Coordinates of all heavy atoms in Angstrom, one line a residue:
S1 N 0.8 -1.2 0.0 CA 0.0 0.0 0.0 C 0.9 1.3 0.0 O 0.9 2.0 1.0 CB -0.9 0.0 1.2 OG -0.2 0.0 2.4
F2 N 1.6 1.5 -1.1 CA 2.4 2.7 -1.3 C 1.6 3.9 -1.6 O 0.6 3.7 -2.4 CB 3.5 2.4 -2.3 CG 4.5 1.4 -2.0 CD1 5.5 1.0 -3.0 CD2 4.6 0.7 -0.8 CE1 6.4 0.1 -2.7 CE2 5.5 -0.2 -0.5 CZ 6.4 -0.6 -1.5
G3 N 2.0 5.0 -1.2 CA 1.3 6.3 -1.6 C 1.7 6.6 -3.1 O 2.6 6.0 -3.7
Q4 N 1.1 7.7 -3.6 CA 1.4 8.1 -5.0 C 2.9 8.4 -5.2 O 3.4 8.1 -6.3 CB 0.5 9.3 -5.4 CG -0.9 8.9 -5.6 CD -1.1 7.9 -6.8 OE1 -0.6 8.1 -7.8 NE2 -1.8 6.8 -6.5
T5 N 3.5 9.1 -4.3 CA 4.9 9.4 -4.5 C 5.8 8.2 -4.5 O 6.6 8.1 -5.4 CB 5.4 10.4 -3.3 OG1 4.6 11.5 -3.3 CG2 6.8 10.7 -3.5
D6 N 5.5 7.2 -3.6 CA 6.3 6.0 -3.7 C 6.0 5.2 -4.9 O 6.9 4.5 -5.4 CB 6.1 5.2 -2.4 CG 6.8 5.8 -1.2 OD1 7.8 6.5 -1.4 OD2 6.3 5.7 -0.1
L7 N 4.8 5.2 -5.4 CA 4.4 4.4 -6.6 C 5.2 5.0 -7.8 O 5.7 4.3 -8.6 CB 2.9 4.5 -6.9 CG 2.0 3.7 -5.9 CD1 0.6 3.9 -6.2 CD2 2.4 2.2 -6.1
K8 N 5.3 6.3 -7.9 CA 6.1 7.0 -8.9 C 7.6 6.6 -8.8 O 8.2 6.3 -9.8 CB 6.0 8.5 -8.9 CG 4.6 9.0 -9.3 CD 4.6 10.5 -9.3 CE 3.3 11.0 -9.8 NZ 3.2 12.5 -9.8
L9 N 8.1 6.6 -7.6 CA 9.5 6.2 -7.4 C 9.7 4.7 -7.8 O 10.7 4.3 -8.3 CB 9.9 6.4 -6.0 CG 10.0 7.9 -5.5 CD1 10.3 8.0 -4.0 CD2 11.1 8.6 -6.3
F10 N 8.7 3.8 -7.5 CA 8.8 2.4 -7.8 C 8.8 2.2 -9.3 O 9.6 1.5 -9.8 CB 7.6 1.7 -7.2 CG 7.6 0.2 -7.5 CD1 8.3 -0.6 -6.7 CD2 6.8 -0.4 -8.5 CE1 8.4 -2.0 -6.9 CE2 6.9 -1.7 -8.8 CZ 7.6 -2.5 -8.0
V11 N 8.0 3.0 -10.0 CA 8.0 2.9 -11.5 C 9.3 3.3 -12.0 O 9.9 2.7 -12.9 CB 6.8 3.7 -12.1 CG1 7.0 3.8 -13.6 CG2 5.5 3.1 -11.8
R12 N 9.9 4.4 -11.5 CA 11.2 4.9 -12.0 C 12.3 3.9 -11.7 O 13.1 3.6 -12.5 CB 11.5 6.2 -11.4 CG 12.8 6.8 -11.9 CD 13.2 8.2 -11.4 NE 12.3 9.2 -11.9 CZ 12.3 9.7 -13.1 NH1 13.1 9.3 -14.0 NH2 11.4 10.7 -13.4
F13 N 12.2 3.2 -10.5 CA 13.2 2.3 -10.1 C 13.2 1.0 -11.0 O 14.2 0.5 -11.5 CB 12.9 1.8 -8.6 CG 13.9 0.8 -8.1 CD1 15.2 1.2 -7.7 CD2 13.6 -0.5 -8.0 CE1 16.1 0.3 -7.2 CE2 14.5 -1.4 -7.5 CZ 15.8 -1.0 -7.1
C14 N 12.0 0.6 -11.3 CA 11.8 -0.7 -12.1 C 11.9 -0.4 -13.6 O 12.2 -1.4 -14.4 CB 10.5 -1.4 -11.8 SG 10.4 -1.9 -10.1
W15 N 11.5 0.7 -14.1 CA 11.2 1.0 -15.5 C 12.2 2.0 -16.0 O 12.4 2.1 -17.2 CB 9.8 1.5 -15.6 CG 9.3 1.8 -17.0 CD1 8.7 3.0 -17.3 CD2 9.2 0.9 -18.1 NE1 8.2 2.9 -18.6 CE2 8.5 1.7 -19.1 CE3 9.6 -0.3 -18.4 CZ2 8.3 1.2 -20.4 CZ3 9.4 -0.9 -19.7 CH2 8.7 -0.1 -20.6
G16 N 12.8 2.9 -15.1 CA 13.7 3.9 -15.6 C 13.1 5.1 -16.2 O 13.7 5.9 -16.8
R17 N 11.7 5.2 -16.1 CA 11.0 6.3 -16.6 C 10.0 6.7 -15.6 O 9.6 5.9 -14.6 CB 10.2 5.8 -17.9 CG 11.2 5.4 -19.0 CD 10.4 5.0 -20.2 NE 11.3 4.9 -21.3 CZ 11.6 3.8 -21.9 NH1 11.1 2.7 -21.5 NH2 12.5 3.8 -22.9
S18 N 9.4 7.9 -15.7 CA 8.5 8.4 -14.7 C 7.1 8.0 -14.9 O 6.3 8.1 -14.0 CB 8.6 9.9 -14.7 OG 8.3 10.5 -15.9
R19 N 6.8 7.5 -16.1 CA 5.4 7.1 -16.4 C 5.3 5.8 -17.1 O 6.2 5.4 -17.8 CB 4.7 8.2 -17.3 CG 4.6 9.5 -16.6 CD 4.2 10.6 -17.5 NE 2.8 10.4 -17.9 CZ 2.1 11.1 -18.7 NH1 2.7 12.1 -19.3 NH2 0.9 10.8 -19.0
L20 N 4.2 5.1 -16.9 CA 4.0 3.8 -17.6 C 3.6 4.1 -19.0 O 3.0 5.1 -19.3 CB 3.0 3.0 -16.9 CG 3.3 2.5 -15.5 CD1 2.1 1.8 -14.8 CD2 4.5 1.5 -15.6
P21 N 3.9 3.2 -19.9 CA 3.5 3.4 -21.3 C 2.0 3.1 -21.4 O 1.4 2.4 -20.5 CB 4.3 2.3 -22.1 CG 4.6 1.3 -21.1 CD 4.7 2.0 -19.8
P22 N 1.3 3.6 -22.5 CA -0.1 3.2 -22.7 C -0.3 1.7 -22.7 O 0.6 1.0 -23.1 CB -0.5 3.9 -24.0 CG 0.6 4.9 -24.2 CD 1.8 4.4 -23.6
V23 N -1.5 1.3 -22.4 CA -1.8 -0.2 -22.3 C -1.5 -0.9 -23.6 O -0.9 -2.0 -23.6 CB -3.3 -0.4 -21.9 CG1 -3.6 -1.9 -22.0 CG2 -3.5 0.2 -20.5
S24 N -1.7 -0.3 -24.7 CA -1.6 -0.9 -26.0 C -0.1 -0.7 -26.6 O 0.2 -1.2 -27.7 CB -2.6 -0.3 -27.0 OG -2.4 1.1 -27.2
S25 N 0.8 -0.1 -25.9 CA 2.1 0.2 -26.3 C 3.0 -1.1 -26.4 O 2.9 -2.0 -25.6 CB 2.8 1.2 -25.4 OG 4.1 1.3 -25.8
P26 N 3.7 -1.2 -27.5 CA 4.7 -2.3 -27.6 C 5.8 -2.2 -26.6 O 6.6 -3.2 -26.4 CB 5.2 -2.3 -29.0 CG 5.0 -0.8 -29.5 CD 3.8 -0.4 -28.7
M27 N 5.9 -1.1 -25.9 CA 7.0 -0.9 -24.9 C 6.8 -1.9 -23.7 O 7.7 -2.1 -23.0 CB 7.0 0.5 -24.4 CG 7.5 1.5 -25.5 SD 7.5 3.2 -24.9 CE 8.8 3.2 -23.7
W28 N 5.6 -2.4 -23.6 CA 5.3 -3.3 -22.5 C 6.1 -4.6 -22.6 O 6.4 -5.3 -21.6 CB 3.8 -3.6 -22.3 CG 3.1 -2.5 -21.6 CD1 2.3 -1.6 -22.1 CD2 3.1 -2.3 -20.2 NE1 1.8 -0.8 -21.1 CE2 2.2 -1.2 -19.9 CE3 3.7 -2.9 -19.1 CZ2 2.0 -0.7 -18.7 CZ3 3.5 -2.4 -17.8 CH2 2.6 -1.3 -17.6
G29 N 6.4 -5.0 -23.8 CA 7.1 -6.2 -24.1 C 6.4 -7.4 -23.4 O 5.3 -7.7 -23.6
D30 N 7.1 -8.0 -22.5 CA 6.6 -9.2 -21.7 C 5.9 -8.7 -20.4 O 5.5 -9.6 -19.6 CB 7.7 -10.2 -21.3 CG 8.3 -10.9 -22.6 OD1 7.5 -11.0 -23.6 OD2 9.4 -11.2 -22.5
G31 N 5.7 -7.4 -20.2 CA 5.0 -6.9 -19.1 C 6.0 -6.8 -17.9 O 7.2 -7.1 -18.0
F32 N 5.4 -6.4 -16.7 CA 6.2 -6.3 -15.5 C 6.5 -7.6 -14.9 O 5.6 -8.5 -14.8 CB 5.4 -5.4 -14.5 CG 6.1 -5.2 -13.2 CD1 7.3 -4.6 -13.1 CD2 5.4 -5.7 -12.1 CE1 7.9 -4.5 -11.8 CE2 6.0 -5.5 -10.8 CZ 7.3 -4.9 -10.7
K33 N 7.7 -7.8 -14.4 CA 8.1 -9.1 -13.8 C 8.7 -8.9 -12.4 O 9.5 -8.0 -12.2 CB 9.1 -9.8 -14.7 CG 8.5 -10.3 -16.1 CD 9.6 -11.0 -16.9 CE 10.3 -10.3 -17.9 NZ 10.1 -9.1 -18.5
V34 N 8.3 -9.8 -11.5 CA 8.9 -9.9 -10.2 C 9.5 -11.2 -10.1 O 8.9 -12.2 -10.3 CB 7.8 -9.7 -9.1 CG1 8.5 -9.9 -7.7 CG2 7.1 -8.4 -9.2
V35 N 10.8 -11.2 -9.9 CA 11.6 -12.5 -9.9 C 12.3 -12.7 -8.6 O 12.9 -11.7 -8.0 CB 12.6 -12.4 -11.1 CG1 13.5 -13.7 -11.1 CG2 11.9 -12.2 -12.4
G36 N 12.3 -13.9 -8.1 CA 13.1 -14.2 -6.9 C 14.5 -14.3 -7.3 O 14.9 -14.8 -8.3
A37 N 15.4 -13.8 -6.4 CA 16.8 -13.7 -6.7 C 17.6 -14.4 -5.6 O 17.9 -13.8 -4.6 CB 17.2 -12.2 -6.9
S38 N 18.0 -15.6 -5.8 CA 18.7 -16.4 -4.8 C 20.2 -15.9 -4.7 O 20.8 -16.2 -3.7 CB 18.7 -17.9 -5.2 OG 19.3 -18.1 -6.4
D39 N 20.6 -15.1 -5.7 CA 22.0 -14.6 -5.6 C 22.1 -13.3 -4.7 O 23.2 -12.9 -4.4 CB 22.6 -14.3 -7.0 CG 21.8 -13.2 -7.7 OD1 20.6 -13.2 -7.7 OD2 22.5 -12.4 -8.3
L40 N 21.0 -12.8 -4.3 CA 21.0 -11.6 -3.4 C 20.9 -12.1 -2.0 O 20.2 -13.1 -1.7 CB 19.8 -10.7 -3.7 CG 19.8 -10.0 -5.1 CD1 18.5 -9.2 -5.3 CD2 21.0 -9.1 -5.2
P41 N 21.6 -11.4 -1.0 CA 21.5 -11.9 0.4 C 20.1 -11.8 0.9 O 19.4 -10.9 0.6 CB 22.5 -11.0 1.1 CG 22.6 -9.8 0.2 CD 22.4 -10.2 -1.2
E42 N 19.8 -12.7 1.8 CA 18.5 -12.7 2.4 C 18.3 -11.4 3.2 O 19.2 -10.9 3.9 CB 18.3 -13.9 3.4 CG 17.0 -13.9 4.1 CD 16.8 -15.1 5.0 OE1 17.5 -16.1 4.8 OE2 15.9 -15.0 5.9
G43 N 17.1 -10.8 3.0 CA 16.8 -9.5 3.6 C 17.5 -8.3 3.0 O 17.5 -7.2 3.5
G44 N 18.2 -8.5 1.8 CA 18.9 -7.5 1.1 C 18.0 -6.5 0.3 O 16.8 -6.7 0.4
L45 N 18.6 -5.6 -0.4 CA 17.9 -4.7 -1.2 C 17.5 -5.3 -2.5 O 18.2 -6.2 -3.0 CB 18.7 -3.4 -1.5 CG 19.0 -2.6 -0.2 CD1 20.0 -1.5 -0.6 CD2 17.7 -2.0 0.3
P46 N 16.4 -4.9 -3.1 CA 16.0 -5.4 -4.5 C 16.9 -4.9 -5.5 O 17.7 -4.0 -5.3 CB 14.6 -4.9 -4.6 CG 14.5 -3.7 -3.8 CD 15.5 -3.9 -2.7
R47 N 16.9 -5.5 -6.7 CA 17.6 -5.1 -7.9 C 16.6 -5.0 -9.0 O 15.8 -5.8 -9.2 CB 18.7 -6.2 -8.2 CG 19.4 -6.0 -9.5 CD 20.4 -7.1 -9.7 NE 19.8 -8.5 -9.6 CZ 20.4 -9.6 -9.2 NH1 21.6 -9.6 -8.8 NH2 19.8 -10.7 -9.2
A48 N 16.8 -3.9 -9.8 CA 15.9 -3.7 -10.9 C 16.7 -3.8 -12.2 O 17.9 -3.6 -12.3 CB 15.4 -2.2 -10.8
H49 N 15.9 -4.2 -13.3 CA 16.4 -4.3 -14.6 C 15.5 -3.4 -15.5 O 14.4 -3.9 -15.9 CB 16.4 -5.8 -15.2 CG 17.2 -6.7 -14.4 ND1 18.6 -6.8 -14.6 CD2 16.9 -7.6 -13.4 CE1 19.0 -7.7 -13.7 NE2 18.0 -8.2 -13.0
T50 N 15.9 -2.2 -15.6 CA 15.0 -1.2 -16.3 C 14.7 -1.5 -17.7 O 13.6 -1.2 -18.2 CB 15.5 0.2 -16.1 OG1 16.8 0.3 -16.7 CG2 15.6 0.6 -14.7
C51 N 15.6 -2.2 -18.4 CA 15.4 -2.5 -19.8 C 14.3 -3.6 -20.0 O 13.7 -3.7 -21.0 CB 16.7 -3.0 -20.4 SG 17.9 -1.8 -20.6
F52 N 14.1 -4.3 -18.9 CA 13.1 -5.4 -19.0 C 11.9 -5.2 -18.1 O 11.1 -6.1 -18.0 CB 13.8 -6.8 -18.6 CG 15.0 -7.1 -19.5 CD1 16.3 -7.0 -18.9 CD2 14.8 -7.4 -20.8 CE1 17.4 -7.3 -19.7 CE2 15.9 -7.6 -21.6 CZ 17.2 -7.6 -21.0
F53 N 11.8 -4.1 -17.4 CA 10.7 -3.7 -16.5 C 10.6 -4.9 -15.5 O 9.5 -5.5 -15.4 CB 9.5 -3.5 -17.2 CG 8.4 -2.8 -16.4 CD1 8.7 -2.0 -15.3 CD2 7.1 -2.8 -16.8 CE1 7.7 -1.4 -14.6 CE2 6.1 -2.2 -16.1 CZ 6.4 -1.5 -15.0
Q54 N 11.7 -5.2 -14.8 CA 11.7 -6.3 -13.9 C 12.4 -5.9 -12.6 O 13.3 -5.1 -12.5 CB 12.6 -7.4 -14.5 CG 12.8 -8.6 -13.6 CD 13.6 -9.7 -14.4 OE1 13.4 -10.0 -15.5 NE2 14.6 -10.3 -13.7
I55 N 11.9 -6.5 -11.5 CA 12.5 -6.3 -10.2 C 12.8 -7.7 -9.6 O 12.0 -8.6 -9.7 CB 11.6 -5.5 -9.2 CG1 12.3 -5.1 -7.9 CG2 10.3 -6.2 -8.9 CD1 11.6 -4.1 -7.0
D56 N 14.1 -7.8 -9.1 CA 14.5 -9.1 -8.5 C 14.5 -8.9 -7.0 O 15.0 -7.9 -6.5 CB 15.9 -9.4 -8.9 CG 16.1 -9.6 -10.4 OD1 15.1 -9.8 -11.1 OD2 17.3 -9.6 -10.8
L57 N 13.9 -9.8 -6.3 CA 13.7 -9.7 -4.9 C 14.4 -10.9 -4.2 O 14.2 -12.0 -4.6 CB 12.3 -9.7 -4.4 CG 11.4 -8.6 -5.0 CD1 9.9 -8.8 -4.6 CD2 11.9 -7.2 -4.5
P58 N 15.2 -10.6 -3.1 CA 15.8 -11.7 -2.3 C 14.7 -12.2 -1.4 O 13.6 -11.7 -1.4 CB 16.9 -11.0 -1.5 CG 16.4 -9.6 -1.4 CD 15.7 -9.3 -2.7
S59 N 15.0 -13.2 -0.6 CA 14.1 -13.7 0.4 C 14.0 -12.7 1.5 O 15.0 -12.1 1.9 CB 14.6 -15.1 0.9 OG 14.6 -16.0 -0.1
Y60 N 12.8 -12.6 2.0 CA 12.5 -11.7 3.2 C 11.8 -12.5 4.2 O 11.0 -13.4 3.9 CB 11.7 -10.5 2.8 CG 12.4 -9.6 1.8 CD1 11.9 -9.4 0.5 CD2 13.5 -8.8 2.2 CE1 12.6 -8.5 -0.4 CE2 14.1 -8.0 1.3 CZ 13.6 -7.8 0.0 OH 14.3 -7.0 -0.8
Q61 N 12.0 -12.1 5.5 CA 11.4 -12.8 6.6 C 9.9 -12.4 6.8 O 9.2 -13.2 7.4 CB 12.2 -12.6 7.9 CG 13.6 -13.2 7.9 CD 14.3 -13.0 9.2 OE1 13.7 -12.4 10.2 NE2 15.5 -13.4 9.2
S62 N 9.6 -11.3 6.3 CA 8.2 -10.8 6.4 C 7.8 -9.9 5.3 O 8.7 -9.3 4.6 CB 8.0 -10.2 7.8 OG 8.7 -8.9 7.8
Q63 N 6.5 -9.7 5.2 CA 6.1 -8.7 4.2 C 6.5 -7.3 4.6 O 6.8 -6.5 3.7 CB 4.5 -8.8 4.1 CG 4.0 -8.1 2.9 CD 2.5 -8.4 2.8 OE1 1.8 -9.0 3.6 NE2 1.9 -8.0 1.7
R64 N 6.6 -7.0 5.9 CA 7.0 -5.7 6.4 C 8.5 -5.4 6.0 O 8.8 -4.4 5.6 CB 6.8 -5.6 7.9 CG 7.2 -4.3 8.5 CD 6.2 -3.3 8.2 NE 6.8 -2.2 7.5 CZ 6.3 -1.2 6.8 NH1 5.0 -1.3 6.6 NH2 7.0 -0.3 6.2
Q65 N 9.3 -6.5 6.2 CA 10.7 -6.3 5.8 C 10.9 -6.1 4.3 O 11.6 -5.2 3.9 CB 11.5 -7.6 6.2 CG 13.0 -7.4 6.0 CD 13.8 -8.7 6.2 OE1 13.4 -9.8 5.9 NE2 15.0 -8.5 6.8
A66 N 10.1 -6.8 3.5 CA 10.1 -6.6 2.1 C 9.8 -5.2 1.7 O 10.4 -4.5 0.9 CB 9.2 -7.6 1.4
A67 N 8.7 -4.7 2.3 CA 8.2 -3.3 2.0 C 9.3 -2.3 2.4 O 9.6 -1.3 1.7 CB 6.9 -3.0 2.7
D68 N 9.9 -2.5 3.6 CA 10.9 -1.6 4.1 C 12.1 -1.5 3.2 O 12.6 -0.4 2.9 CB 11.4 -2.0 5.5 CG 10.3 -1.7 6.6 OD1 9.4 -0.9 6.3 OD2 10.5 -2.2 7.7
R69 N 12.6 -2.7 2.7 CA 13.7 -2.7 1.8 C 13.4 -2.1 0.4 O 14.2 -1.4 -0.1 CB 14.2 -4.2 1.6 CG 14.7 -4.8 2.9 CD 15.9 -4.1 3.5 NE 16.6 -4.9 4.5 CZ 16.2 -4.9 5.8 NH1 15.2 -4.2 6.3 NH2 16.9 -5.7 6.7
I70 N 12.2 -2.4 -0.1 CA 11.8 -1.9 -1.4 C 11.7 -0.3 -1.3 O 12.2 0.4 -2.1 CB 10.5 -2.5 -1.9 CG1 10.8 -4.0 -2.2 CG2 10.0 -1.7 -3.1 CD1 9.5 -4.8 -2.4
L71 N 11.1 0.1 -0.2 CA 10.9 1.6 0.0 C 12.3 2.2 0.1 O 12.5 3.3 -0.5 CB 10.1 1.9 1.2 CG 8.6 1.7 1.0 CD1 7.8 1.8 2.3 CD2 8.0 2.6 0.0
F72 N 13.2 1.6 0.9 CA 14.6 2.2 1.0 C 15.2 2.3 -0.4 O 15.8 3.3 -0.7 CB 15.4 1.4 1.9 CG 16.8 1.9 2.1 CD1 17.0 2.9 3.0 CD2 17.9 1.5 1.3 CE1 18.3 3.5 3.2 CE2 19.1 2.1 1.4 CZ 19.4 3.1 2.4
A73 N 15.1 1.2 -1.2 CA 15.8 1.2 -2.5 C 15.2 2.3 -3.4 O 15.9 3.0 -4.1 CB 15.6 -0.2 -3.1
I74 N 13.9 2.4 -3.5 CA 13.2 3.3 -4.5 C 13.4 4.7 -4.0 O 13.5 5.6 -4.9 CB 11.8 3.0 -4.7 CG1 10.9 3.2 -3.5 CG2 11.6 1.6 -5.2 CD1 9.4 3.1 -3.7
R75 N 13.6 5.0 -2.7 CA 13.7 6.3 -2.2 C 15.2 6.8 -2.3 O 15.5 8.0 -2.3 CB 13.2 6.5 -0.8 CG 11.7 6.3 -0.7 CD 11.3 6.3 0.7 NE 9.8 6.2 0.9 CZ 9.2 6.0 2.0 NH1 9.9 5.8 3.1 NH2 7.9 5.9 2.0
N76 N 16.1 5.9 -2.4 CA 17.6 6.3 -2.3 C 18.4 6.0 -3.6 O 19.5 6.5 -3.7 CB 18.2 5.5 -1.1 CG 17.7 6.1 0.2 OD1 18.0 7.2 0.6 ND2 16.8 5.3 0.8
C77 N 17.9 5.2 -4.5 CA 18.5 5.0 -5.8 C 18.1 6.1 -6.7 O 17.0 6.0 -7.3 CB 18.2 3.6 -6.3 SG 19.1 3.3 -7.8
M78 N 18.9 7.1 -6.9 CA 18.6 8.2 -7.7 C 18.9 8.1 -9.2 O 18.5 8.9 -10.0 CB 19.2 9.5 -7.2 CG 18.7 9.8 -5.8 SD 16.9 10.0 -5.8 CE 16.5 9.7 -4.1
S79 N 19.8 7.2 -9.6 CA 20.2 7.0 -11.0 C 20.6 5.6 -11.2 O 20.9 4.9 -10.2 CB 21.3 8.0 -11.4 OG 22.5 7.6 -10.8
M80 N 20.7 5.2 -12.4 CA 21.1 3.8 -12.7 C 22.6 3.7 -12.5 O 23.0 2.6 -12.3 CB 20.8 3.5 -14.2 CG 19.3 3.4 -14.4 SD 18.7 2.6 -16.0 CE 19.5 3.7 -17.1
Q81 N 23.3 4.7 -12.4 CA 24.7 4.6 -12.0 C 25.0 4.2 -10.6 O 26.0 3.7 -10.3 CB 25.5 6.0 -12.3 CG 25.7 6.3 -13.8 CD 24.5 6.7 -14.5 OE1 23.6 7.3 -13.9 NE2 24.4 6.4 -15.8
N82 N 24.0 4.5 -9.7 CA 24.1 4.2 -8.3 C 23.7 2.7 -8.1 O 24.0 2.2 -7.0 CB 23.2 5.0 -7.5 CG 23.6 6.4 -7.4 OD1 24.7 6.7 -7.7 ND2 22.8 7.3 -6.9
A83 N 23.1 2.1 -9.0 CA 22.6 0.7 -8.8 C 23.7 -0.3 -8.8 O 24.8 -0.1 -9.3 CB 21.6 0.4 -9.9

């Protein structure tokens, strides 16, 4: 349950753009993907692939921990160079 500001940051983190493409756009490709990432440390920060509109998530102990880590990442990763 992210607010509008965090939703915008989430889209920028996962997509590298500030807005989603129109529903009928070929830019959607295979759509948005959430992938489990066993190579990331448990409880770590997520990783985004903006070219593929994908977010990789490590294992989390709770939904609250996942939300906290995702919010930290989207609020603090200001450019793809920082990733």
Side-chain angles (χ1 to χ4, degrees):
S1 60
F2 293 176
Q4 285 299 308
T5 300
D6 288 329
L7 289 173
K8 286 181 180 183
L9 291 172
F10 182 81
V11 168
R12 182 174 296 281
F13 181 78
C14 297
W15 181 236
R17 297 183 169 113
S18 60
R19 298 172 66 184
L20 294 172
V23 175
S24 61
S25 173
M27 292 177 70
W28 278 104
D30 293 331
F32 176 62
K33 295 183 260 347
V34 178
V35 178
S38 61
D39 63 317
L40 295 175
E42 183 176 338
L45 294 173
R47 173 178 57 211
H49 300 279
T50 57
C51 291
F52 303 109
F53 196 21
Q54 175 178 317
I55 188 169
D56 297 344
L57 300 175
S59 295
Y60 294 113
Q61 292 183 4
S62 68
Q63 196 170 8
R64 182 73 237 160
Q65 183 186 41
D68 288 345
R69 297 300 193 272
I70 293 167
L71 286 170
F72 181 86
I74 67 174
R75 290 174 178 168
N76 291 285
C77 182
M78 297 300 156
S79 73
M80 291 192 302
Q81 284 76 27
N82 290 347

